[in-house]
Amino acid sequence: MADAFKDQVLAGKVAYIAGGSSGINLGIAQRLAAQGAKVAIVSRSQDKIDAAVKTITDAGGTAWGTSVDVRDYAGVETSLAATRDKFGEIDVLVSGAAGNFLAPVVGMSANAFKTVVDIDLIGTFNVFRACFDYVKKPGASLIAITAGQGTHPMMFQAHACAAKAGINMLTRVLAMEWGPAGIRVNGISPGPISETEGMQRLAASPAAEAALKGRIPLRDYGTKRDIADMALYLASDNAAYITGAILDVDGGSSLGDASPNALTPPKR
Ligand code: COA
Ligand code: NAP
């Protein structure tokens, strides 16, 4: 596949990826590192971080990581300071840590709801709020990983819907407050992405997968590379005039149900 980006488009840049030890966010970390960024990866499990870092260093990139729970503000700030000490001021920051499970509201304790909101929304607040003193001003690009749940209600997803909607508004407010400082703040809203924990949890069976694909305009799941490419674009100088945008990378999923029988035209 031809690559729209020139080589080493992020040479000399520093990226911090919250929740970067697996899935979509690891795909972003790998893509940014392959384009020259020095990458810091944080999540809870040091074992997962070590394995993620190894995938990048084995490929010739520069990466380092440390264990942080994004619900712990002081821990987040310590990891940002450590990243700056190690690599220099942060140019690109991705907030992608998340938790999810399918549960109806009556099957969800107050703590279950709070847990997802704490990881997704409060975690994103913590990462964004704490990074202000550690990112390059002007020039930094902040990216929240949100989801369709933030704009479209979804049954059994009350916690994630509330959290991602909050992330979308936080992203827009920060874009307004921090634009004058030269900090851009955007969101990426992935559609269903293959070979991820998120899709494992939401559409585990082949029947559910086939039904879901049949409703997507482009008729397939996306890939981690699709999301990484958008993150690379937002991280690059090409996106210098984009802020406050929530960009759908979803094969058209957010447009609605595109299955042939969603609306049958009248016979004429
Ligand atoms: N249905 C209903 N409630 C559930 C649940 C489920 N499937 N899974 C967890 N909960 C509840 C727990 O019972 C607990 O509530 P309680 O104290 O009232 O019993 C609460 O959620 C917190 O669970 P706990 O396991 O203590 O939280 P944690 O902080 O250790 O883990 C999770 C967070 C639950 C989100 C866990 O699944 C996780 O770590 N996920 C990360 C990976 C992931 O979700 N990836 C997909 C990203 S889209
Ligand atoms: P994933 O592999 O489970 O990624 C979640 C990451 O967050 C993991 O690295 C996890 O590592 C980390 N994490 C979880 N709780 C954390 C905490 N409290 N503190 C710090 N790190 C934490 O899932 P994914 O499916 O790739 O999802 C990645 C992002 O994309 C999420 O924001 C998700 O909402 C979004 N998204 C996914 C899809 C999809 O199709 N998969 C669609 C739309 C949006 P540890 O376990 O080490 O903490």
Side-chain angles (χ1 to χ4, degrees):
M1 190 176 72
D3 195 336
F5 294 93
K6 72 175 184 189
D7 279 349
Q8 300 296 297
V9 76
L10 299 183
K13 305 257 188 192
V14 176
Y16 172 103
I17 319 281
S21 66
S22 61
I24 289 172
N25 306 315
L26 174 56
I28 294 172
Q30 291 165 334
R31 183 85 169 112
L32 301 190
Q35 285 290 335
K38 291 176 224 153
V39 172
I41 288 176
V42 303
S43 76
R44 294 167 301 176
S45 156
Q46 189 66 49
D47 286 348
K48 280 173 67 178
I49 293 165
D50 291 344
V53 165
K54 189 169 183 309
T55 66
I56 292 173
T57 52
D58 282 355
T62 303
W64 162 85
T66 187
S67 168
V68 171
D69 190 318
V70 292
R71 294 169 282 191
D72 168 20
Y73 187 87
V76 168
E77 186 153 30
T78 301
S79 71
L80 288 160
T83 301
R84 186 186 58 186
D85 292 348
K86 204 169 175 56
F87 291 147
E89 264 185 335
I90 297 166
D91 299 277
V92 182
L93 182 135
V94 177
S95 176
N100 204 349
F101 48 81
L102 284 170
V105 170
V106 291
M108 201 183 275
S109 67
N111 190 46
F113 184 85
K114 180 177 180 301
T115 297
V116 171
V117 171
D118 277 349
I119 300 171
D120 293 26
L121 176 57
I122 307 298
T124 296
F125 176 84
N126 289 346
V127 170
F128 281 177
R129 171 66 186 87
C131 83
F132 189 79
D133 291 334
Y134 301 93
V135 296
K136 205 163 278 170
K137 298 181 278 295
S141 173
L142 277 44
I143 302 167
I145 306 302
T146 179
Q149 286 96 321
T151 40
H152 300 282
M154 203 178 290
M155 286 169 67
F156 315 134
Q157 288 284 277
H159 45 11
C161 288
K164 296 293 192 184
I167 289 172
N168 292 351
M169 286 310 288
L170 177 63
T171 299
R172 295 182 180 115
V173 171
L174 284 181
M176 295 179 81
E177 292 193 5
W178 290 357
I183 301 174
R184 297 184 292 110
V185 192
N186 293 291
I188 299 175
S189 182
I193 302 300
S194 58
E195 295 168 31
T196 61
E197 180 68 26
M199 281 318 291
Q200 204 72 29
R201 286 169 184 244
L202 300 186
S205 74
E209 197 174 309
L212 182 50
K213 283 182 180 171
R215 293 198 291 269
I216 300 172
L218 290 183
R219 292 287 187 268
D220 203 356
Y221 286 175
T223 64
K224 290 173 227 175
R225 171 68 180 245
D226 292 323
I227 308 305
D229 277 344
M230 179 58 86
L232 176 58
Y233 174 66
L234 286 175
S236 76
D237 294 342
N238 290 52
Y241 202 52
I242 300 180
T243 197
I246 308 293
L247 296 161
D248 297 318
V249 183
D250 65 356
S253 304
S254 52
L255 300 171
D257 184 345
S259 55
N261 54 2
L263 193 62
T264 311
K267 287 210 165 52
R268 20 175 336 185

